[in-house]
């Protein structure tokens, strides 16, 4: 009598399965189609199948052996976790599988799920969506869970705007969700402020610099509508500008200048700048109030302030000699003018004119360049 051994295990494929078998007569292994032929029945669906051999040639008779076709696993893919932001209302799970997929939610008050796997948010919190493909005669059940985190309401916070200036647009306050960026109140652009100075037309080399200093509270006009273009700047006004750049600190001591009386708009500034060694007078008694200031002296005062602040005032030695009128610079102002030229504060495309009185608009341009470099 021959014995049949079915080799391996078998899983449902949807097609007929012919198992691998070993047939022996005693200790001799018989050969298929020489010593026997094989027939298999009930070998498509999961369950018990039968393999039958019938003798051939020198072998007669037949015998059978059953083997099991196991159920196949359904394929099922889906994400492990889904987040629904305050900006979203629904989100699809996007599950895929080899059978009919069903869905259920552990908390429909937070996240409801439709028959086609679309989650609809209902509140803030968490829920677990069960994704299932039911088993059948030939397949085992496939099951997965999706953890869902839901943010139902926007987390609104105020975004602070900024005031418009004479050189830059501003923004109104807004309200935005810090989670998703939803704008409950959109920020609006505030146009630049109107130029108040009738003598400062648009498009001049000094226009933006004058308005920039006006916005910073460092330099104002002769009155509300006149800046003073074409007029020269006086010594006390230069010191007032430096004092404002420093935040108008109190003076450590009072100067003895007879031409700087108490209670004037420039008094505190002159006293402070003199006490700090940034400026001096003509002598111990005379500051030079009301006098126009020449260009090299203006740069020297600005240079003194930069050194007092501890700014980097290094410059290539002799750089100023590149200018055609460098020989007109007084010896006491050479170091300052060399620094001013090397840093682009003066002499840009024009001569130094070191001993000319400096205009208010040129002073504004130089101060603005200074501030943009060092602050």
């Amino acid at each position: 009598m021959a014995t049949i051994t079915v080799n391996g295990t078998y899983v449902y494929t949807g097609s007929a399965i012919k198992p691998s078998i070993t047939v022996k007569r005693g200790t001799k292994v018989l050969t298929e189609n020489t010593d026997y032929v094989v027939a298999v029945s009930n070998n498509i669906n999961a369950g018990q199948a039968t393999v039958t051999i019938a003798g051939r040639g020198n072998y007669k008779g037949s015998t059978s052996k059953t083997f099991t076709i196991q159920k196949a696993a359904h394929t099922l893919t889906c994400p492990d976790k889904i987040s629904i932001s305050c900006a979203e209302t629904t989100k699809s799970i996007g599950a895929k599988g080899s059978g009919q997929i069903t869905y259920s939610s552990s908390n429909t008050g937070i996240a409801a799920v439709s028959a086609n796997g679309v989650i609809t948010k209902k509140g803030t919190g968490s829920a677990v969506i069960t994704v299932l493909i039911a088993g059948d005669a030939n397949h085992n059940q496939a099951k997965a869970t999706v953890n869902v985190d839901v943010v139902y309401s926007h987390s609104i916070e105020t975004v602070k705007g900024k005031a418009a200036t004479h050189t830059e647009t501003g923004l109104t306050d807004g309200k935005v969700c810090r989670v998703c960026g939803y704008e409950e109140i959109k920020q609006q652009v505030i146009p630049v402020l109107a130029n108040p100075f009738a003598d400062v037309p648009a498009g001049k080399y000094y226009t933006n610099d004058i308005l920039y200093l006006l916005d910073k509270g460092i330099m104002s006009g002769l009155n509300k509508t006149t800046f003073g273009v074409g007029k020269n700047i006086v010594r006390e006004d230069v010191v007032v500008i430096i004092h404002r750049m420093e935040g108008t600190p109190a003076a450590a001591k009072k100067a003895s200048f007879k031409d700087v009386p108490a209670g004037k708009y420039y008094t505190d500034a002159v006293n402070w700048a003199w006490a700090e060694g940034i400026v001096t007078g003509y002598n111990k008694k005379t500051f030079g109030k009301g006098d126009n200031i020449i260009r090299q002296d203006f740069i020297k005062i600005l240079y003194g302030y930069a050194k007092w602040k501890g700014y980097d005032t290094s410059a290539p030695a002799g750089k100023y000699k590149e200018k055609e009128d460098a020989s007109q610079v007084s010896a006491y102002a050479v170091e300052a003018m060399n620094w001013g030229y090397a840093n682009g504060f003066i002499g840009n495309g024009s001569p130094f004119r070191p001993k000319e009185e400096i205009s208010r608009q040129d002073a504004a341009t130089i101060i603005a360049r200074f501030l943009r470099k060092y602050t």
Side-chain angles (χ1 to χ4, degrees):
M1 176 69 68
T3 59
I4 303 172
T5 301
V6 177
N7 304 313
T9 57
Y10 299 91
V11 177
Y12 171 79
T13 64
S15 299
I17 295 173
K18 181 181 178 182
S20 169
I21 62 172
T22 300
V23 179
K24 289 185 178 180
R25 179 71 178 270
T27 60
K28 182 180 180 181
V29 178
L30 304 186
T31 302
E32 184 178 357
N33 295 325
T34 299
D35 299 321
Y36 65 89
V37 293
V38 177
V40 186
S41 59
N42 299 322
N43 60 332
I44 295 178
N45 295 319
Q48 292 294 310
T50 301
V51 56
T52 301
I53 64 168
R56 191 171 186 182
N58 296 325
Y59 299 94
K60 307 296 182 183
S62 64
T63 187
S64 298
K65 179 80 173 184
T66 61
F67 66 97
T68 300
I69 299 176
Q70 299 175 1
K71 289 184 178 182
H74 273 302
T75 59
L76 177 60
T77 58
C78 62
D80 297 325
K81 184 176 181 179
I82 288 177
S83 296
I84 302 178
S85 74
C86 44
E88 299 170 303
T89 303
T90 62
K91 184 171 280 189
S92 176
I93 294 175
K96 295 180 180 180
S98 57
Q100 180 66 42
I101 302 174
T102 60
Y103 304 89
S104 62
S105 172
S106 67
N107 190 343
T108 56
I110 298 296
V113 62
S114 68
N116 60 350
V118 175
I119 302 169
T120 300
K121 71 178 184 181
K122 298 293 185 179
T124 297
S126 299
V128 177
I129 304 297
T130 299
V131 184
L132 182 68
I133 299 178
D136 56 32
N138 291 310
H139 298 87
N140 291 315
Q141 170 185 283
K143 182 179 179 181
T145 56
V146 181
N147 294 306
V148 181
D149 292 324
V150 180
V151 178
Y152 187 77
S153 301
H154 293 295
S155 297
I156 299 295
E157 61 184 19
T158 298
V159 179
K160 191 68 177 174
K162 65 173 184 176
T165 69
H166 293 91
T167 57
E168 293 183 350
T169 59
L171 285 173
T172 60
D173 289 350
K175 290 194 173 183
V176 64
C177 175
R178 60 182 174 81
V179 177
C180 71
Y182 163 74
E183 292 179 302
E184 184 177 86
I185 299 177
K186 187 176 180 64
Q187 289 183 287
Q188 302 296 321
V189 175
I190 303 171
V192 295
L193 301 179
N195 177 356
F197 300 128
D199 60 342
V200 180
K204 297 295 184 180
Y205 71 89
Y206 49 78
T207 302
N208 283 343
D209 294 330
I210 289 172
L211 297 177
Y212 170 74
L213 296 181
L214 176 66
D215 288 331
K216 286 185 169 293
I218 290 172
M219 194 172 183
S220 55
L222 300 178
N223 56 52
K224 290 183 178 181
T225 59
T226 304
F227 177 75
V229 170
K231 296 184 180 297
N232 294 326
I233 194 165
V234 293
R235 285 172 54 82
E236 62 269 28
D237 283 355
V238 174
V239 178
V240 167
I241 290 170
I242 300 292
H243 191 224
R244 288 173 179 170
M245 287 163 61
E246 193 56 28
T248 65
K253 55 185 177 178
K254 182 180 176 182
S256 57
F257 300 130
K258 296 297 186 183
D259 58 347
V260 181
K264 299 297 182 179
Y265 73 89
Y266 51 81
T267 304
D268 290 344
V270 172
N271 284 332
W272 167 80
W274 172 82
E276 297 298 332
I278 297 171
V279 297
T280 59
Y282 295 152
N283 54 52
K284 290 183 178 180
K285 299 297 184 182
T286 306
F287 173 72
K289 192 272 295 183
D291 291 349
N292 295 335
I293 189 168
I294 62 175
R295 293 168 68 84
Q296 66 182 11
D297 286 356
F298 178 81
I299 293 294
K300 191 171 186 301
I301 290 175
L302 194 59
Y303 180 58
Y305 174 66
K307 293 183 74 173
W308 179 83
K309 286 289 288 182
Y311 293 149
D312 179 8
T313 56
S314 60
K319 177 74 174 174
Y320 81 106
K321 293 179 180 179
E322 296 175 357
K323 298 302 291 183
E324 60 269 34
D325 57 349
S327 62
Q328 299 177 26
V329 176
S330 299
Y332 72 84
V334 163
E335 186 177 317
M337 289 292 284
N338 189 62
W339 162 81
Y341 176 59
N343 284 280
F345 303 146
I346 193 169
N348 293 347
S350 61
F352 284 143
R353 307 191 306 280
K355 294 175 182 175
E356 282 187 18
E357 294 172 342
I358 189 167
S359 67
R360 286 175 55 81
Q361 68 268 24
D362 282 358
T365 295
I366 291 170
I367 290 291
R369 290 170 180 168
F370 178 93
L371 289 174
R372 291 186 181 112
K373 176 177 175 61
Y374 286 121
T375 64

